[in-house]
Amino acid sequence: MQHAALSPHVPTHPHQPKLLPVVTRVIEQIDKLFVEYFGRSGERLAEEIFKQWLIAGKTGPSGLRHYVNALSHQLHEPHQCNNFVKRAESMLLHLQSGYVS
C-alpha cells in the first residue's frame, strides 16, 4: 500500500496533524505488514484505523505503538496477532535507533 500524494493516509483536512516523513514511512511499512496478515481487505481496515489514530492525536513516533496495537486487535488468531506485533515492534525499534529503510 503506497501513501503517495493521493494516498488516503496523507492528511487532507486542515485540522489533521501533519505527519513527520519518517512516521509516514513507518506507517506504510506497518500497513503492508498488516495486509500480509489480514489479506487485501486489510487495506481498507487499516485506512479506517489510521483515521481513528489521527483523531486520537497520538501521531508522533512514540504514538506508533498505539497504531500497531489497534491493528493487532483486528487479527483474531492469537498466533497471527503475536507475530504481527513482534514484526511491527521490530520496525519501531529501527525507527528509534534512527534507521528506517
Side-chain angles (χ1 to χ4, degrees), residues 46-87:
E47 289 173 17
E48 288 304 312
I49 291 171
F50 177 80
K51 289 175 189 173
Q52 294 170 11
W53 179 73
L54 279 179
I55 291 168
K58 296 176 174 141
T59 57
S62 62
L64 287 168
R65 279 197 169 71
H66 295 281
Y67 185 62
V68 168
N69 287 333
L71 289 173
S72 73
H73 286 109
Q74 306 307 309
L75 300 169
H76 301 294
E77 157 84 36
H79 180 72
Q80 275 191 325
C81 181
N82 290 336
N83 283 340
F84 169 77
V85 170
K86 283 180 190 175
R87 290 179 65 192

Side-chain angles (χ1 to χ4, degrees), residues 6-69:
L6 298 177
S7 168
H9 280 31
V10 175
T12 56
H13 191 276
H15 298 293
Q16 288 181 343
K18 183 174 165 98
L19 299 178
L20 295 170
V22 67
V23 172
T24 302
R25 284 194 303 274
V26 171
I27 287 171
E28 288 171 1
Q29 293 175 358
I30 290 170
D31 285 352
K32 186 184 283 188
L33 179 65
F34 179 70
V35 169
E36 279 181 39
Y37 284 89
F38 196 88
R40 295 287 291 162
S41 62
E43 289 180 8
R44 276 201 189 127
L45 186 55
E47 289 173 17
E48 288 304 312
I49 291 171
F50 177 80
K51 289 175 189 173
Q52 294 170 11
W53 179 73
L54 279 179
I55 291 168
K58 296 176 174 141
T59 57
S62 62
L64 287 168
R65 279 197 169 71
H66 295 281
Y67 185 62
V68 168
N69 287 333

